[in-house]
Amino acid sequence: METPVDGFLGGPFSLERVAYVYLFEESRSPNEIIEIRRVRALRDGASTFGLSLRNTESDDFGLDQQVLWGGSLTTTKGATADGGATHWRRIDFGRTLRAGQSHEFALRTWIEVDPEPQTEVCFGVTVPAREVSIHLGFHGSPQPSEAWRYGPLPDESAIPKTPSGGRRVKIIGNSVSATFRNPVSGPIYGLAWRWTRQPANGSRGPQRRL
């Protein structure tokens, strides 16, 4: 089985396709996120994909998340030198892959209401990726007035605050999408938007590592 370090980086895989779907229900903060990933094994015997490795000050760690298909979700805890804990979360496929074989899995994460709603979603890759897409669905009265994509950029300080600094994306109905092909490891990419009436304290969305 892969070690926690391998798991944090995704494990012995390349990413064929990753889709992030953010769903907004009558709120400027997303209610849930759906992630769909299709991975390809780089060696024989691959059976798990590492999602995250987090440090906390205590053993407590909670995340309202479930697997929709493609495996089971497990968390392994370990102690840190300062009395805290590490939490390694991974997807166990339930089968062992051969080198070159693909596997798809999906996760759903429920989000608490954010008092400072996000106005962008950005990501960076740590393993080879062929395609990453971001999809935003606005099912309620808060609607975006414009949206733009950006990347590759060196870091978050370079993220454009207006469409003129990026590349405009069409808003079709109540959804916005952007697809990034062959993103490289290191830089960040993302999709940003402005609400029809901008909140006074809008904030950046989370940076994701794949």
Side-chain angles (χ1 to χ4, degrees):
M1 185 172 69
E2 292 78 48
T3 66
V5 172
D6 288 336
F8 173 66
L9 297 176
F13 303 99
S14 62
L15 294 168
E16 292 187 341
R17 184 173 62 251
V18 182
Y20 290 110
V21 183
Y22 286 70
L23 299 177
F24 297 77
E25 302 285 348
E26 296 294 346
S27 173
R28 296 181 188 271
S29 177
N31 298 77
E32 61 181 278
I33 304 171
I34 296 174
E35 304 176 30
I36 304 170
R37 307 191 192 203
R38 185 172 182 82
V39 301
R40 182 179 295 274
L42 299 179
R43 68 169 186 246
D44 291 339
S47 62
T48 66
F49 185 94
L51 295 171
S52 66
L53 184 64
R54 301 189 184 189
N55 293 322
T56 60
E57 295 180 356
S58 69
D59 286 341
D60 295 332
F61 174 70
L63 187 64
D64 197 357
Q65 190 174 62
Q66 71 173 180
V67 179
L68 296 177
W69 68 79
S72 59
L73 183 64
T74 60
T75 301
T76 300
K77 291 195 295 187
T80 61
D82 59 0
T86 61
H87 306 266
W88 178 39
R89 294 174 66 82
R90 66 187 186 274
I91 294 287
D92 293 316
F93 299 159
R95 65 182 184 127
T96 300
L97 304 182
R98 301 184 305 274
Q101 191 172 7
S102 297
H103 182 82
E104 184 174 280
F105 61 91
L107 295 165
R108 169 183 282 148
T109 304
W110 284 272
I111 308 297
E112 293 184 5
V113 174
D114 189 343
E116 296 185 350
Q118 304 172 358
T119 54
E120 70 175 47
V121 175
C122 60
F123 71 89
V125 298
T126 56
V127 297
R130 181 179 299 175
E131 180 181 292
V132 179
S133 59
I134 299 172
H135 308 277
L136 311 176
F138 302 93
H139 305 291
S141 55
Q143 292 289 318
S145 60
E146 53 188 349
W148 59 97
R149 55 181 290 168
Y150 53 84
L153 298 175
D155 53 51
E156 291 189 33
S157 65
I159 293 176
K161 305 296 191 300
T162 65
S164 60
R167 184 170 140 200
R168 285 185 181 272
V169 177
K170 287 185 178 180
I171 300 173
I172 302 175
N174 60 353
S175 65
V176 180
S177 297
T179 298
F180 304 83
R181 293 183 172 82
N182 301 309
V184 298
S185 177
I188 62 171
Y189 305 77
L191 176 61
W193 68 95
R194 256 204 293 239
W195 298 109
T196 300
R197 180 174 293 178
Q198 181 72 13
N201 58 347
S203 65
R204 293 180 180 175
Q207 181 172 340
R208 308 189 67 87
R209 289 291 173 185
L210 310 183

